[in-house]
Each structure stands twice: as C-alpha cells, then as structure tokens.
Amino acid sequence: MEQKDLQHIANQFEINGTVAEVKPLGNGLINTTYKVTTAEADAPDYVLQHINNAIFPDVDMLMNNIVAVTTHIRKKLEAKHTDDIDRKVLHFVPCKDGKYYYIFDNKYWRVMVLIPDAVSKTGVTPEGSKIVGETFGDFQAMLADIPVQLGETIKDFHNIEFRLQQFHDAVKEDKMGRAAGVKDIIDEIEKRADDMCRSERLYREGKLPKRIAHCDTKIDNILFDKNDNVLCVIDLDTVMPSFIFSDFGDFLRSAANTQPEDSPEYDKIEFRMDIFKSFTEGYLKTARAFLTPIEIENLPYAAKLFPYMQLVRFFADYLNGDTYYKIQYPEHNLVRSRNQLTLLKRAEEKEPEMVAFIKQQLA
Ligand code: GN1
Ligand code: MG
C-alpha cells in the first residue's frame, strides 16, 4: 500500500499531531500493522492496523467489543488510582465520524495509541507462565462485571459440541477418502466425546457461566515495560463470551507441551507439570475471588478439553482436505492431530496430580 494512501487512512482518525510517516510494524500473522509517527515531539505516535476481515467477518461487533472492554478496564484502573494508565490498557481512537474503523479500498482499518518503550516476549518458562496466569486472571477479573453484552467475534469458537458436529460431518462426507485409514483416531475422539461436552451441558443447566475471556492466551499477547513489569494485555480480537476454560486450557495446550504442536515425535511429548503449577498458581492468585467452585473444580477438565478440541479441529480439517489450517505437507494436519491426541493422553495421566495441586493451592 502506498504511503499517501496509508497517510490518508491515518488522517481519518482523531489523532493528535500531524502524520509524518507510516511504516510497517511487527510481524502479526492475522492483521497487518503499521506505526504512524507524528511530527510533533509532544504528540503520541499511533498504531494503524488492517483488520483481517476474512477471519473476523463482523468488524462492527469486533470493534464494539474491543471498545467496551478497554473502556471498562480503564474505569477499573481509574477506580484503583493506578498510575500511568495510558500504558496499562490499549486506547483505540475513533474516526471523525465516531466509528472505530474506517473502510478504504474494501479493507477495514483501525488506530490505537502506541505505547512507547513497551517490549514483548516469547517462549515458555515457569516464571513467565506464572506471570501469564496472573495477568490473564486479572484480565478476566476486571471484565467479570462488564455491564454490556459482547458478541462472539468467531461464532462457536470454543464450543466443543459445535466442533464435534463439524467432525461428524467431516467423517460422514469423507471428501478425501481418508477416514478408513484413521479409524483409531475417530475412536479416540468418540470415546471421550460425552465427557468432553461437560462444559456445554453445565452451561445449559445454568451451573457454569460464560464470562469474558481473551481466547488467545500466551505470553506474546502481553506487553512489558523495560524492567519486565506487565503493562497490558493486547490482541483483543478474540475477546468474547466464553468459559474461563478458554484462557486456562488453551494456554496449557501450547505451553505445557514439550514439543511444538506439529511435531511428529510423539514419544517425546509430555504434559509439563512445572508449567501447569506455576501458571495455575498465578491464575488462582488473581482469579480465585470471582471463580465459582464448579469453575475451579473443572480446571483439570479444561487442561484436557483444549488438546481434545484442537485434535478435533485439526482432524476434521484433515478429513475435509486441509481447507482451514495452512499445511506444509499432505499429512500435516494428521501429524498435528496425533500430536494433540498424545498430549491429551499425557494430560489425562496427570489429572490426579492437577487435582491435588489445586486443592493444595486453595488450602
Ligand atoms: C489458530 O492463528 P493462530 O495460530 O493464532 C486458531 C486457534 C488455534 C491455533 C492452533 C482464529 O491460531 O484457535 O488454537 O491456530 N485461531 C483461529 O495452532 O482459528
Ligand atoms: Mg493468534
């Protein structure tokens, strides 16, 4: 995209200062991001983002969610007299017409204030996992009493009954003729299906609430200052009503696996209890006050649900001919499926230890 178009887009938003330059920032896989530098030394710089409308079809809902969430968090921080609030919550900037996005060239764009001197981290350590647990527990806690109803930016994203329906359709259609060769995986999925739908059943019975979850819980989605203090949670596109299990389980699915999610070295896959323990300790510290006994009791279930759900999603995609997840070789989604199945089995073996650890934390 040309500099003059990028500057034109940036200028549709209510920014302070004069746009001097717009240049690429970071390397996100979903959205495309730019830094907007303003000419004046005392004016903030901004982040301009092209929103991936293929993954997030309802941009209106998406931005309504994000503005509701950031506004609510800001109020909470103000009530606590937190210092430096502008660095502790993202601040989105409206357009001159009041909307929080601008359409140019059939693409959706948004702007937020750049938080200066912030750094991000990647990788998994027990210390880092404890911070992730605390930070996302706090994020959920601040949103536990948000007064507005948010939308599901990806419908049924973490609904296991819906994911199993997609899997059953894929088996029935068997578009690629792959089902006969992978009966063992179909059986492994089927034999756990009933237990794994527990969350949706509890929800229907009114025993399990949906709250606001981030749904992409990882250390990469936290900004830190230069002294390693947490500033804020970022990447709010998947923030939506869900079970708290979404953040708890999906973090462990990726962080507690000793192998990458597409490694074919299944015998090297372990479910890391050191990560489980430090993450859970951090999470309970900030989330405990609002969690119900049923939510707490089902945290080990959540640690199994997410490898299971990802198995179901990768495997359905394999049967459908690999239309959702990008693949590098024909059996890639099958390898991912076997990897997640192995992780699930390793997590199942650790369940008694998880239960004991949580009990000890609450004592
Ligand atoms: C996708 O794009 P990425 O890697 O952040 C997927 C997640 C899966 C993950 C598995 C919108 O996330 O739900 O857990 O792949 N995101 C979407 O690798 O489907
Ligand atoms: Mg992501």
Side-chain angles (χ1 to χ4, degrees):
M1 173 133 322
E2 283 185 44
Q3 184 61 212
K4 100 173 171 350
D5 291 334
L6 289 168
Q7 294 202 11
H8 163 78
I9 297 165
N11 276 316
Q12 304 313 305
F13 292 83
E14 295 276 9
I15 62 179
N16 293 319
T18 321
V19 173
E21 189 192 18
V22 184
K23 57 175 190 227
L25 178 72
N27 50 0
L29 294 180
I30 309 259
N31 301 313
T32 315
T33 307
Y34 300 86
K35 177 178 176 180
V36 179
T37 309
T38 52
E40 298 79 1
D42 58 348
D45 291 331
Y46 294 86
V47 175
L48 170 69
Q49 247 177 357
H50 163 212
I51 305 170
N52 187 328
N53 178 229
I55 295 192
F56 300 103
D58 191 341
V59 175
D60 221 56
M61 175 202 281
L62 177 78
M63 292 312 296
N64 278 338
N65 277 4
I66 291 181
V67 171
V69 162
T70 51
T71 306
H72 190 73
I73 292 178
R74 180 170 289 268
K75 278 192 195 138
K76 289 267 148 129
L77 298 174
E78 281 165 2
K80 282 196 288 184
H81 303 288
T82 307
D83 59 353
D84 214 6
I85 289 180
D86 285 334
R87 309 185 75 213
K88 308 238 167 106
V89 60
L90 293 179
H91 178 189
F92 286 81
V93 181
C95 288
K96 293 177 175 151
D97 66 3
K99 282 208 181 73
Y100 280 85
Y101 58 88
Y102 176 67
I103 303 175
F104 181 82
D105 197 16
N106 282 319
K107 294 189 177 81
Y108 290 78
W109 299 82
R110 70 180 165 207
V111 166
M112 65 195 112
V113 180
L114 180 93
I115 298 179
D117 301 318
V119 288
S120 44
K121 298 174 188 252
T122 52
V124 175
T125 60
E127 302 72 42
S129 301
K130 186 169 171 209
I131 292 170
V132 177
E134 269 177 43
T135 304
F136 283 90
D138 187 43
F139 183 79
Q140 289 182 345
M142 286 192 286
L143 295 173
D145 61 351
I146 189 166
V148 291
Q149 178 67 43
L150 300 192
E152 285 186 32
T153 54
I154 300 176
K155 198 172 164 354
D156 291 320
F157 189 40
H158 283 165
N159 178 341
I160 187 58
E161 288 179 349
F162 171 72
R163 297 302 180 183
L164 280 166
Q165 184 59 52
Q166 291 182 315
F167 154 75
H168 285 133
D169 291 346
V171 173
K172 196 149 77 191
E173 289 174 31
D174 194 18
K175 285 185 194 139
M176 312 294 289
R178 287 172 165 175
V182 287
K183 281 269 181 287
D184 63 316
I185 299 187
I186 297 178
D187 291 347
E188 296 279 10
I189 292 175
E190 292 294 9
K191 77 180 186 203
R192 292 171 175 85
D194 206 46
D195 181 46
M196 286 295 152
C197 291
R198 189 194 303 176
S199 49
E200 297 295 335
R201 273 196 305 275
L202 288 169
Y203 176 66
R204 273 195 296 276
E205 292 164 6
K207 294 176 185 157
L208 182 68
K210 281 196 189 176
R211 304 182 187 272
I212 304 305
H214 183 278
C215 298
D216 192 11
T217 311
K218 51 188 178 191
I219 201 158
D220 317 52
N221 284 334
I222 298 176
L223 287 185
F224 293 85
D225 71 12
K226 283 180 173 157
N227 304 317
D228 279 354
N229 299 307
V230 172
L231 289 171
C232 63
V233 168
I234 59 168
D235 199 356
L236 306 177
D237 294 328
T238 52
V239 175
M240 64 176 109
S242 193
F243 304 122
I244 54 106
F245 306 152
S246 287
D247 291 336
F248 188 85
D250 206 31
F251 174 77
L252 290 171
R253 181 188 72 77
S254 53
N257 192 343
T258 48
Q259 290 285 304
E261 69 180 11
D262 65 348
S263 161
E265 296 193 85
Y266 312 125
D267 55 350
K268 290 193 184 149
I269 293 175
E270 295 292 338
F271 184 88
R272 285 182 63 175
M273 282 307 284
D274 60 335
I275 296 298
F276 175 89
K277 287 177 182 171
S278 37
F279 174 72
T280 302
E281 189 188 334
Y283 179 71
L284 285 176
K285 195 169 141 192
T286 45
R288 187 179 171 174
F290 74 83
L291 293 175
T292 66
I294 291 199
E295 288 175 310
I296 293 178
E297 187 185 306
N298 280 290
L299 292 176
Y301 154 78
K304 298 184 297 179
L305 175 64
F306 277 80
Y308 180 78
M309 185 156 5
Q310 200 60 59
L311 155 65
V312 169
R313 292 177 67 190
F314 282 148
F315 188 64
D317 199 38
Y318 173 70
L319 295 178
N320 285 333
D322 313 301
T323 58
Y324 191 86
Y325 295 105
K326 290 197 188 83
I327 54 164
Q328 265 107 47
Y329 55 93
E331 309 277 272
H332 205 159
N333 273 319
L334 181 58
V335 167
R336 288 169 173 147
S337 304
R338 291 201 183 281
N339 177 303
Q340 296 296 293
L341 174 58
T342 310
L343 180 67
L344 169 63
K345 291 177 177 171
R346 296 294 87 83
E348 287 170 344
E349 291 160 7
K350 302 286 188 198
E351 188 166 6
E353 206 183 321
M354 295 184 205
V355 172
F357 180 78
I358 290 169
K359 201 168 156 198
Q360 175 204 321
Q361 285 294 301
L362 298 178

